[in-house]
Amino acid sequence: MGQAPLAVGIGIHTGEALVGCIGATVADPDGRKRVRREYTAIGETVNLGQRVEQLTKHCAGRYW
């Protein structure tokens, strides 16, 4: 009670995308090397889904 309602915006688009781990070897200031990895998805499908999600911020939606 007394809290703002939860607002969620979701953008969905289907199609082909490239997914997987990408990364690089990074040297720390003390000379140690470490591998920084990130699991991600890239491609036009992902970009369009992100744009649809951004539109939810400008369109009035339901609060749950």
Side-chain angles (χ1 to χ4, degrees), residues 31-51:
R32 291 186 300 162
K33 291 185 179 180
R34 61 185 174 93
V35 177
R36 181 173 181 227
R37 290 191 184 150
E38 186 174 314
Y39 190 79
T40 190
I42 59 174
E44 290 182 31
T45 300
V46 178
N47 295 341
L48 186 54
Q50 188 270 337
R51 289 186 190 119

Side-chain angles (χ1 to χ4, degrees), residues 3-58:
Q3 296 180 350
L6 177 64
V8 178
I10 299 174
I12 298 176
H13 182 64
T14 60
E16 294 183 9
L18 180 64
V19 295
C21 286
I22 61 169
T25 302
V26 179
D28 287 334
D30 60 2
R32 291 186 300 162
K33 291 185 179 180
R34 61 185 174 93
V35 177
R36 181 173 181 227
R37 290 191 184 150
E38 186 174 314
Y39 190 79
T40 190
I42 59 174
E44 290 182 31
T45 300
V46 178
N47 295 341
L48 186 54
Q50 188 270 337
R51 289 186 190 119
V52 171
E53 184 272 331
Q54 289 293 311
L55 287 173
T56 65
K57 296 177 181 180
H58 301 289

